[in-house]
């Protein structure tokens, strides 16, 4: 109950061990399903399950039911047109990253949207080219069909031009990425994205931004630089650029600088006045149109030797089947593409789902992107995901559902079928400049390093290793290395947790790390030890060592010393060199007693101490006869706080039982508190308990265990651990008493 006029509460209840609590409070019986039950339920089919499956597989049914035509349609139209214009430009620009002819970027901005419209659970992301994926595809393309040298020996390449070969590789890799994503979605393994932490994704995308920046320098500078893939490709590319930098095209540089400065300034204005602007100013589209007109009017291609987009065929190409040999050559690269594409899209989708209060399904998103990539690859599109900038345009301009995404695809289709030829005089340096200026958000992630270093250094290490590995080794190998480093960090945190010795905060039932507070009381003869992690094979030894360090003695060593001393006392009594009197042991020889160690080496010294055949129970903390020395144990009770222990494996269980037995055998009472019910259930199933390790050592809370210890060991000291303790006694009467302990 709460005391009136004070922020305090008073509780009067019995002192509970786990056994006494379960005796007084009956548990609800719950049937635990077997693996066979889960299989039967998974394959069970009825009308309700079929309806739910249809709604899950086709999320469009769910949101179309609640679509508000009068309120949402106009917003979706405005958003669709705005997003479509951005998608056209980004499709052309990001296609350069994939080392493909620019107009194929229009395919990637159109085809994947259609399946996602029906299958996707996010209402706000804009599906299409993603620069990191484009770069990863470009590295595969240039590895199989390099700018200089022969292409890979693949049967399907015969009779095709270089561009056609590259399109075949890109579409085949995309098809394989789609198969992997679809398979993961069907197998319900969408949780794999959880292994990509925000820190890892931040470091990886920052490294990808640097790769993208370097890859676009050749367009901005107007240089001919061959595509290079593999480890250290970025270093080799920079080396070639610096060697050729004197041959840069001044006109390309000027155009790029003008575009980047203008776009940067207008984007800053968009961010600053976004609350006042009805829609963001589409500055990339405006500058593209202006540059196209100027380039056409002044014939930049002929007069200044500028590389332009060139001829853009109108219409779509017939579908093509993937090449199975390409599958064999690119399977290792396709898997990280599938993971990265899904992880980025899911992260962006999650942001908007939280903002607009609806749910998204990771497994359904995998299915949606898998089908989208398979469908797009059939029409020579490359892998799709989403970008934060394009999705931000779709959401900020009022987009409510994927109808806006479908309308953006219509805009892309109009450009592809009717007015694509107007973009033919567009300088590639403009596309490169647009790509670079859109990297600002990813490059600004370098600002996270000081923050992470101050707040969480292991996370900072993950960020820097991820970024460095992805920059030097390439995005695919870099991702593998970063995953390894991240898992190592997690394992190390669990394997070497921050164990602590707790103490009581004066006048409360609260226990905190004794190093952190001044007004604390540590009961004499009691240690409270907390381990904040699971106990398993990898950290059992660490747990034991930390506990021994906290206790100040090794229970196994003490046990062996005591058994060895008992063995010696028995031998001396048997020989008559030692006798028991009312005043204690008496040396009956005139000389000193010699320790016959030679006979005790083979004895089992870790067995329980047995005082039979001895006239008295020995006080190990008193002076022992014959100058025998045994390590002193000043602790009579040990409390293990298991509140943060989430599981025990078999190795941890065996190690814990061995440790508990050693402590019990050296006359230290052990209490385990706040243990998870499922761990207790597992201990019973694994026959953990015996005559020495009993269920009665488990208590409901730390304070329950401490009150039990105080009742059992009522030694008095100077300070009070609790001002007033209200205890229920078996008779049912309440008794309040002061406890004086240090």
């Amino acid at each position: 109950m709460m005391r009136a006029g004070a922020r305090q509460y008073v509780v009067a209840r019995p002192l509970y061990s786990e056994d006494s609590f379960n005796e007084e409070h009956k548990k609800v019986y719950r049937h635990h399903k077997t693996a066979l039950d889960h299989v039967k339920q998974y394959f069970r089919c009825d009308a309700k399950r079929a309806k739910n499956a249809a709604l899950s597989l086709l999320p469009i049914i769910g949101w179309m039911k609640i679509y508000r035509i009068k309120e949402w349609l106009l917003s979706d139209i405005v958003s669709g047109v705005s997003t479509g214009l951005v998608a056209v430009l980004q499709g052309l620009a990001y296609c350069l990253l994939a080392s493909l002819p620019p107009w194929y970027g229009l395919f990637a901005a159109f085809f994947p949207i259609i399946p996602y419209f029906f299958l996707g659970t996010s209402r706000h992301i804009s599906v299409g080219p993603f620069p990191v994926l484009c770069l990863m595809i470009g590295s595969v393309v240039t590895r199989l069909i390099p700018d200089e040298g022969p292409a890979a020996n693949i049967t399907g390449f015969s009779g095709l031009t270089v561009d056609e070969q590259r399109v075949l590789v890109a579409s085949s890799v995309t098809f394989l990425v789609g198969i992997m994503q679809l398979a993961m979605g069907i197998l319900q393994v969408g949780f794999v994205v959880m292994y990509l932490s925000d820190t890892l994704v931040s470091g990886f995308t920052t490294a990808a931004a640097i790769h993208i920046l370097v890859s676009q320098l050749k367009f901005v500078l107007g240089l001919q630089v061959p595509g290079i893939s593999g480890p250290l490709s970025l270093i080799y590319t920079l080396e070639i650029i610096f060697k050729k930098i004197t041959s840069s095209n001044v006109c390309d540089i000027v155009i790029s600088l003008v575009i980047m400065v203008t776009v940067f300034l207008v984007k800053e204005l968009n961010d600053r006045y976004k609350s006042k602007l009805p829609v963001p100013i589409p500055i990339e589209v405006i500058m593209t149109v202006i540059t196209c007109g100027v380039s056409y009017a002044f014939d930049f291609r002929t007069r200044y030797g500028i590389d332009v987009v060139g001829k853009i065929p109108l219409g779509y190409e017939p579908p093509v089947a993937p090449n199975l040999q390409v599958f064999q050559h690119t399977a290792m690269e396709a898997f990280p593409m599938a993971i990265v594409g899904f992880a980025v899209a899911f992260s962006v989708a999650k942001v908007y789902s939280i903002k607009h209060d609806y749910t998204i399904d990771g497994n359904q998103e995998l299915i949606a992107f898998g089908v989208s990539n398979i469908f797009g690859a059939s029409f020579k599109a490359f892998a799709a995901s989403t970008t934060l900038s394009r999705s931000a345009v779709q959401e900020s301009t009022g987009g409510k559902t994927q109808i806006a995404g479908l309308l953006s695809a219509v805009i892309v289709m109009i450009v592809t079928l009717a007015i694509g030829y107007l973009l033919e005089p567009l300088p590639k340096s403009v596309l490169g400049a647009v790509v670079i200026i859109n990297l600002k958000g990813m490059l600004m992630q370098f600002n996270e390093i000081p923050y992470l270093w101050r707040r969480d250094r292991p996370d900072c290490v993950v960020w820097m290793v991820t970024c460095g590995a992805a920059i030097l080794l390439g995005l695919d190998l870099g991702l593998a290395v970063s995953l390894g480093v991240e898992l190592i960090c997690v394992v190390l945190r669990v394997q070497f947790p921050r164990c602590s010795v707790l103490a009581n905060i004066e006048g409360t039932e609260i226990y905190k790390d004794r190093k952190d507070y001044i007004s604390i009381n540590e009961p004499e003869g009691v240690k409270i030890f907390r381990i904040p992690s699971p106990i398993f094979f990898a950290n059992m030894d660490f747990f034991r060592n930390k506990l021994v360090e906290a206790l100040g003695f090794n229970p196994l060593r003490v046990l062996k010393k005591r058994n060895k001393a008992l063995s010696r006392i028995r031998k001396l009594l048997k020989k008559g060199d030692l006798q028991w009197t009312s005043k204690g042991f008496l040396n009956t020889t005139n000389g000193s007693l010699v320790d016959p160690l030679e006979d005790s080496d083979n004895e089992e010294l870790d067995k329980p101490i047995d005082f039979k055949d001895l006239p008295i129970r020995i006080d190990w903390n008193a002076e022992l006869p014959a100058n025998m020395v045994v390590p002193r144990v000043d602790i009579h009770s040990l409390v293990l706080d298991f509140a943060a222990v989430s599981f025990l494996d078999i190795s941890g269980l065996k190690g814990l039982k061995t440790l508990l037995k050693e402590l019990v055998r050296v006359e230290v009472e052990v209490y385990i508190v706040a243990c998870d019910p499922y761990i207790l259930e597992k201990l019973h199933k694994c026959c953990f308990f015996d005559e020495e390790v009993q269920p009665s050592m488990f208590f409901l809370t730390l304070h329950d265990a401490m009150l039990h210890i105080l009742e059992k060991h009522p030694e008095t000291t100077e300070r009070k651990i609790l001002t007033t303790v209200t205890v229920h006694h078996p008779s049912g009467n309440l008794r309040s008493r002061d406890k004086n302990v240090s």
Side-chain angles (χ1 to χ4, degrees):
M1 66 177 180
M2 295 291 295
R3 285 182 178 174
R7 293 179 59 84
Q8 296 179 336
Y9 67 88
V10 179
V11 177
R13 66 166 176 81
L15 188 156
Y16 284 127
S17 67
E18 288 284 354
D19 287 343
S20 62
F21 183 81
N22 290 330
E23 288 174 4
E24 185 171 333
H25 301 273
K26 298 300 181 184
K27 297 178 70 173
V28 175
Y29 173 75
R30 288 186 294 171
H31 173 69
H32 295 285
K33 293 182 179 179
T34 63
L36 182 60
D37 292 332
H38 285 289
V39 171
K40 288 180 179 179
Q41 183 178 5
Y42 185 80
F43 288 103
R44 179 176 56 85
C45 185
D46 53 30
K48 183 178 179 181
R49 186 175 176 84
K51 179 182 177 181
N52 291 336
L55 290 173
S56 174
L57 190 61
L58 294 171
I60 184 176
I61 299 174
W63 59 261
M64 283 296 283
K65 287 181 179 179
I66 61 172
Y67 193 82
R68 306 170 190 170
I69 296 178
K70 294 182 179 179
E71 299 178 27
W72 291 358
L73 184 59
L74 181 60
S75 297
D76 277 340
I77 292 174
V78 173
S79 174
V81 173
S82 303
T83 308
L85 295 175
V86 175
V88 169
L89 184 58
Q90 289 190 352
L92 294 171
Y94 294 157
C95 199
L96 299 180
L97 297 173
S99 301
L100 300 175
W103 65 85
Y104 285 99
L106 299 177
F107 298 175
F110 172 73
F111 287 107
I113 294 177
I114 300 172
Y116 191 86
F117 175 77
F118 296 98
L119 302 175
T121 58
S122 174
R123 304 175 195 171
H124 292 89
I125 65 170
S126 174
V127 178
F130 175 53
V132 177
L133 273 186
C134 295
L135 189 66
M136 296 175 79
I137 290 173
S139 66
V140 175
V141 168
T142 54
R143 179 173 65 83
L144 296 182
I145 304 107
D147 292 327
E148 299 175 355
N153 186 18
I154 295 176
T155 305
F157 286 174
S158 58
L160 300 179
T161 64
V162 172
D163 283 345
E164 290 172 340
Q165 291 175 354
R166 291 188 166 186
V167 170
L168 179 61
V169 170
S171 61
S172 298
V173 173
T174 300
F175 198 95
L176 183 56
V177 167
I179 290 175
M180 291 178 175
Q181 290 176 331
L182 181 60
M184 287 191 290
I186 293 173
L187 296 174
Q188 303 286 292
V189 291
F191 63 86
V192 295
V193 73
M194 303 305 173
Y195 290 100
L196 302 179
S197 67
D198 292 343
T199 305
L200 185 147
V201 172
S202 174
F204 181 78
T205 51
T206 304
I210 294 175
H211 276 282
I212 294 168
L213 174 63
V214 172
S215 70
Q216 296 306 292
L217 287 178
K218 63 181 180 182
F219 299 111
V220 170
L221 299 175
L223 299 175
Q224 295 295 321
V225 179
I228 302 173
S229 60
L232 301 180
S233 59
L234 185 138
I235 305 298
Y236 297 140
T237 302
L238 285 174
E239 180 185 7
I240 296 173
I241 289 174
F242 283 123
K243 285 181 178 178
K244 295 185 175 182
I245 199 165
T246 54
S247 304
S248 300
N249 190 309
V250 177
C251 188
D252 272 323
I253 296 175
V254 171
I255 292 173
S256 301
L257 289 175
V258 170
I259 294 292
M260 286 191 282
V261 171
T262 306
V263 172
F264 175 79
L265 292 176
V266 176
K267 278 181 171 288
E268 289 297 312
L269 292 175
N270 281 340
D271 289 338
R272 179 167 297 184
Y273 299 107
K274 60 183 176 183
S275 60
K276 299 180 180 179
L277 293 172
V279 294
I281 302 172
I283 185 60
E284 294 104 325
V285 177
I286 294 172
M287 294 304 295
T288 299
V289 172
I290 293 173
T291 313
C292 266
V294 173
S295 175
Y296 177 77
F298 292 95
D299 195 10
F300 280 178
R301 181 177 186 180
T302 304
R303 185 175 297 182
Y304 300 108
I306 287 179
D307 191 13
V308 298
V309 170
K311 183 173 178 58
I312 298 180
L314 296 179
Y316 294 104
E317 300 182 11
V320 62
N323 188 291
L324 297 182
Q325 282 186 285
V326 174
F327 284 4
Q328 298 173 3
H329 284 80
T330 60
M332 294 299 293
E333 290 99 333
F335 184 71
M337 289 184 206
I339 296 296
V340 170
F342 168 64
V344 172
F346 186 76
S347 299
V348 176
K350 189 162 59 173
V351 170
Y352 290 119
S353 69
I354 293 172
K355 181 177 179 180
H356 295 278
D357 192 25
Y358 63 90
T359 58
I360 56 173
D361 183 352
N363 293 311
Q364 181 61 28
E365 286 293 293
L366 272 171
I367 292 174
F369 277 103
V371 174
S372 295
N373 282 320
I374 290 172
F375 181 71
S378 301
F379 290 91
K380 300 184 180 180
F382 49 82
S385 178
T386 188
T387 62
L388 186 57
S389 60
R390 194 169 60 246
S391 297
V393 170
Q394 180 165 317
E395 190 268 344
S396 63
T397 52
K400 304 297 183 184
T401 64
Q402 281 299 328
I403 287 179
L406 191 64
L407 291 174
S408 72
V410 171
I411 299 297
V412 176
M413 182 180 67
I414 292 172
V415 172
T416 306
L417 296 178
I419 59 175
Y421 67 92
L422 296 176
L423 297 172
E424 291 179 1
L426 178 65
K428 288 185 177 180
S429 56
V430 173
L431 299 178
V434 169
V435 171
I436 290 174
I437 205 64
N438 278 297
L439 297 176
K440 177 197 167 188
M442 289 193 283
L443 292 173
M444 290 297 289
Q445 292 175 139
F446 275 111
N447 292 331
E448 294 181 11
I449 295 177
Y451 172 83
L452 291 172
W453 184 255
R454 291 191 301 268
R455 300 295 191 277
D456 194 324
R457 292 189 178 181
D459 264 0
C460 186
V461 170
V462 170
W463 195 101
M464 290 191 292
V465 171
T466 299
C467 187
I471 288 172
L472 296 176
L473 302 179
L475 297 181
D476 47 359
L477 291 177
L479 181 62
V481 170
S482 60
L483 278 172
V485 171
E486 184 179 51
L487 292 178
I488 288 172
C489 283
V490 172
V491 169
L492 290 178
R493 291 190 191 202
V494 177
Q495 187 172 352
F496 304 106
R498 185 183 178 276
C499 300
S500 56
V501 176
L502 306 183
N504 174 255
I505 304 297
E506 286 187 2
T508 72
E509 83 293 353
I510 298 169
Y511 297 82
K512 294 289 186 179
D513 191 336
R514 65 179 181 181
K515 297 178 182 179
D516 296 337
Y517 294 88
I518 298 174
S519 301
I520 61 170
N521 287 316
E522 293 189 80
E524 184 178 353
V526 180
K527 284 287 183 184
I528 308 171
F529 186 80
R530 182 175 185 270
I531 177 170
S533 78
I535 301 176
F536 61 110
F537 67 93
N539 71 352
M540 184 61 219
D541 288 340
F542 178 81
F543 165 59
R544 181 189 176 92
N545 293 336
K546 283 294 182 182
L547 180 58
V548 167
E549 181 183 330
L551 292 173
F553 64 89
N554 187 326
L556 180 58
R557 181 171 177 269
V558 172
L559 180 61
K560 289 183 176 181
K561 286 284 187 180
R562 289 185 179 182
N563 275 322
K564 188 178 288 187
L566 276 178
S567 175
R568 182 183 175 191
I569 290 171
R570 284 194 178 95
K571 290 177 181 178
L572 292 174
L573 288 171
K574 187 176 181 181
K575 290 171 62 177
D577 293 339
L578 196 65
Q579 289 184 357
W580 170 254
T581 67
S582 59
K583 296 182 180 181
F585 287 105
L586 178 64
N587 182 3
T588 60
T589 63
N590 295 327
S592 61
L593 297 175
V594 180
D595 187 4
L597 291 175
E598 64 279 358
D599 295 331
S600 62
D601 290 342
N602 296 326
E603 293 183 5
E604 296 180 351
L605 300 177
D606 59 347
K607 296 300 181 183
I609 295 174
D610 186 5
F611 289 105
K612 69 179 181 180
D613 301 332
L614 290 179
I616 192 173
R617 188 180 183 90
I618 296 175
D619 180 3
W620 294 108
N621 287 336
E623 185 178 351
L624 299 178
N627 298 323
M628 286 183 282
V629 179
V630 173
R632 184 181 177 88
V633 176
D634 295 321
I635 296 172
H636 57 71
S637 300
L638 169 67
V639 183
L640 298 177
D641 185 357
F642 269 34
V645 178
S646 57
F647 74 86
L648 270 170
D649 71 351
I650 295 299
S651 299
L653 186 147
K654 290 180 179 178
L656 179 63
K657 185 172 183 177
T658 301
L659 180 60
L660 295 182
K661 282 191 171 186
E662 292 170 2
L663 289 164
V664 169
R665 289 171 184 177
V666 296
E667 300 175 356
V668 175
E669 300 168 7
V670 183
Y671 302 94
I672 299 176
V673 301
C675 186
D676 187 275
Y678 293 100
I679 294 180
L680 265 176
E681 184 180 346
K682 182 175 182 178
L683 295 180
H684 282 285
K685 287 181 179 179
C686 295
C687 302
F688 181 79
F689 301 106
D690 55 25
E691 293 182 357
E692 293 177 289
V693 181
Q694 299 180 355
S696 59
M697 66 173 52
F698 285 81
F699 277 75
L700 202 62
T701 69
L702 178 50
H703 199 55
D704 283 310
M706 287 303 302
L707 291 179
H708 173 78
I709 293 170
L710 294 178
E711 288 290 311
K712 194 170 183 180
H713 301 275
E715 296 86 358
T716 58
T717 51
E718 296 178 359
R719 293 180 295 177
K720 296 181 179 180
I721 184 172
L722 298 169
T723 54
T724 302
V725 181
T726 303
V727 183
H728 267 291
H729 285 272
S731 61
N733 297 324
L734 284 174
R735 183 177 66 177
S736 296
R737 55 185 292 185
D738 288 336
K739 292 293 179 185
N740 297 318
V741 296
S742 63

